[in-house]
């Protein structure tokens, strides 16, 4: 900016002195000030014998500029002298200044601390997002492999070999089977979860997400238990192997959680919103009926498994009668309610389930 200002003054001076043939090349830009311009103009007027009026105006400009410089210098000197001769601060004023300085330092420290905490939170959130993105990507790969592995179950069973073959079909190296530490049970758990989600989606669509009232709850229960059982028919020959894997102690919690989630969803969308002891007995009864129907289906050779569906209907009728009889036993209802309540709360906490649907 200083160079542009100097250039501007040079141009103005060139225009002013052009008629007198003054060469600006002999004047340094950084030393070109208003006083030097006026001095040069005054000297030129003396040597070239300018008219008296113009000489007088030049002299007036020079005197005015010199007077301003003298006034500014005097003011600056007076201010400096006044500052040096100012009265020293009193003890109370010094204390106040000290406290103010400490307050500023405290404020600065708090702001720096808050800024550091904010940066840590941002870093933590960013790291969490990156972890979630990586986990989502890994889960997508995992699901793709397991989905491709299901078609090999009829020939290879619920085994790690089926997963390896599914990984190769999905375009991944066979070594990715290390993503499935539980081997064949990972495939069983994926299949159960997938089937449960399909049943849930169908119930939600049919009941308008639970808002539509079901006219015949018993028929609703039978129909969706049958739908879920029919999903295992393509793997009927290999299902005993899946049952054995689900019964292993290390796999039992996951298997039980999936079963309880299924029967709770079916009861809920059938219209069962009660909070009495019937809430527990209906879910326990439905879970037992589902597993019995599943086992009966494995040995049923009738056309379209008609005997299995008849067995299911009979068991549901028996459960309704048992439920009615059980609820009439008023003498033991209170104690049994406490027992069931304690058992289900413990199971829910251990399995991480949430039966409170909105």
């Amino acid at each position: 900016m200083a160079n542009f200002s100097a250039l501007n003054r040079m141009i103005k001076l060139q225009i002013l002195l052009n008629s007198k043939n003054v060469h600006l090349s002999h004047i340094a830009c950084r030393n070109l000030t208003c006083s030097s311009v006026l001095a040069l103009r005054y000297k030129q007027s003396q040597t070239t014998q300018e008219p008296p009026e113009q000489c007088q105006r030049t002299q007036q400009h020079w005197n005015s500029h010199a007077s301003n410089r003298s006034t500014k210098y005097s003011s600056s000197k007076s201010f400096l002298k006044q500052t040096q001769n100012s009265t020293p601060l009193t003890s109370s004023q010094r204390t106040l200044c000290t406290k103010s300085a400490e307050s500023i330092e405290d404020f600065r420290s708090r702001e720096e601390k808050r800024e550091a905490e904010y940066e840590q939170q941002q870093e933590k959130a960013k790291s969490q997002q990156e972890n979630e993105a990586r986990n989502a990507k890994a889960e997508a790969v995992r699901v793709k492999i397991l989905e491709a592995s299901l078609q090999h179950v009829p020939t290879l069973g619920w085994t790690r070999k089926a997963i390896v073959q599914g990984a190769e079909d999905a375009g991944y190296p066979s070594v990715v089977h290390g993503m499935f530490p539980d081997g064949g049970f990972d495939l069983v758990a994926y299949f159960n979860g997938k089937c449960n989600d399909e049943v849930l989606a169908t119930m939600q669509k049919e009941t308008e997400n639970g808002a539509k009232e079901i006219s015949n709850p018993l028929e609703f229960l039978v129909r969706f238990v049958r739908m879920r059982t029919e999903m295992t028919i393509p793997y009927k020959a290999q299902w005993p192997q899946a049952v054995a894997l689900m019964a292993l102690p290390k796999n039992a919690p996951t298997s039980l959680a999936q079963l309880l989630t299924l029967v709770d969803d079916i009861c809920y969308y059938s219209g069962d919103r009660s909070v009495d002891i019937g809430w527990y007995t209906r879910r326990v009864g439905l879970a037992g009926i589902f597993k019995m129907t599943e086992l009966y289906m494995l040995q049923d050779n009738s056309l379209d498994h008609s005997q299995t569906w008849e067995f299911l209907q009979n068991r549901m009728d028996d459960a309704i009668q048992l439920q009615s009889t059980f609820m009439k036993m008023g003498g033991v209802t209170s104690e049994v309610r406490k027992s069931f309540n304690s058992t289900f709360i413990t199971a829910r906490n251990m399995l991480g389930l949430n039966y409170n649907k909105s």
Side-chain angles (χ1 to χ4, degrees), residues 199-208 220 224 265-266 269:
V199 172
L200 176 60
T202 304
M203 291 188 298
Q204 289 176 336
K205 182 178 180 180
E206 184 173 318
T207 63
E208 299 178 359
F220 185 93
F224 281 98
D265 288 338
I266 295 176
Y269 288 100

Side-chain angles (χ1 to χ4, degrees), residues 15-153:
I15 296 173
L16 182 63
L17 304 178
N18 188 31
S19 60
K20 305 303 178 180
N21 296 324
V22 177
H23 297 285
L24 298 179
S25 58
H26 298 289
I27 302 175
C29 294
R30 61 177 179 271
N31 295 326
L32 190 61
T33 62
C34 183
S35 58
S36 61
V37 172
L38 292 174
L40 181 62
R41 188 72 180 89
Y42 177 74
K43 182 177 180 180
Q44 184 182 20
S45 65
Q46 295 296 327
T47 57
T48 56
Q49 297 182 354
E50 292 182 347
E53 304 85 13
Q54 190 170 358
C55 292
Q56 184 178 2
R57 286 196 301 270
T58 303
Q59 181 65 36
Q60 290 176 354
H61 282 295
W62 170 253
N63 294 337
S64 177
H65 179 69
S67 177
N68 291 337
R69 286 173 55 88
S70 177
T71 302
K72 291 180 180 180
Y73 176 76
S74 299
S75 299
S76 302
K77 187 175 181 180
S78 176
F79 175 78
L80 179 62
K81 183 177 181 180
Q82 182 180 359
T83 304
Q84 292 176 348
N85 296 332
S86 59
T87 304
L89 296 176
T90 63
S91 59
S92 59
Q93 290 175 335
R94 285 196 298 271
T95 303
L96 181 60
C97 291
T98 303
K99 291 182 178 180
S100 299
E102 292 176 352
S103 300
I104 293 175
E105 290 298 327
D106 293 341
F107 175 77
R108 183 182 301 173
S109 300
R110 289 195 302 269
E111 291 301 314
E112 291 178 351
K113 183 178 180 181
R114 290 177 182 176
E115 184 176 356
E117 292 176 352
Y118 176 77
E119 292 178 354
Q120 291 177 357
Q121 292 176 356
Q122 292 295 104
E123 290 294 331
K124 185 177 180 181
K126 183 179 179 181
S127 177
Q128 184 176 359
Q129 291 177 355
E130 292 176 352
N131 291 335
E132 291 176 354
R134 286 194 295 268
N135 294 337
K137 185 176 181 179
E139 182 63 19
V141 172
R142 186 174 182 274
V143 169
K144 187 177 181 180
I145 293 174
L146 291 174
E147 186 66 29
S149 302
L150 289 177
Q151 60 181 338
H152 298 286
V153 171

Side-chain angles (χ1 to χ4, degrees), residues 259-284:
L259 175 60
L260 293 179
T261 301
L262 172 66
V263 297
D264 180 55
D265 288 338
I266 295 176
C267 289
Y268 177 83
Y269 288 100
S270 70
D272 182 10
R273 315 292 168 82
S274 61
V275 294
D276 58 5
I277 191 173
W279 190 97
Y280 306 105
T281 58
R282 279 187 287 272
R283 282 154 177 77
V284 170

Side-chain angles (χ1 to χ4, degrees), residues 223-292:
R223 180 157 55 90
F224 281 98
V225 169
R226 175 174 175 173
M227 177 188 295
R228 177 62 182 84
T229 306
E230 287 176 337
M231 292 179 178
T232 62
I233 293 179
Y235 310 98
K236 180 179 178 179
Q238 295 78 26
W239 197 247
Q241 182 186 13
V243 173
L245 289 172
M246 289 186 289
L248 293 176
K250 66 175 184 177
N251 301 331
T254 301
S255 302
L256 181 58
Q258 291 179 326
L259 175 60
L260 293 179
T261 301
L262 172 66
V263 297
D264 180 55
D265 288 338
I266 295 176
C267 289
Y268 177 83
Y269 288 100
S270 70
D272 182 10
R273 315 292 168 82
S274 61
V275 294
D276 58 5
I277 191 173
W279 190 97
Y280 306 105
T281 58
R282 279 187 287 272
R283 282 154 177 77
V284 170
L286 186 61
I289 291 173
F290 171 73
K291 297 306 292 184
M292 287 189 295

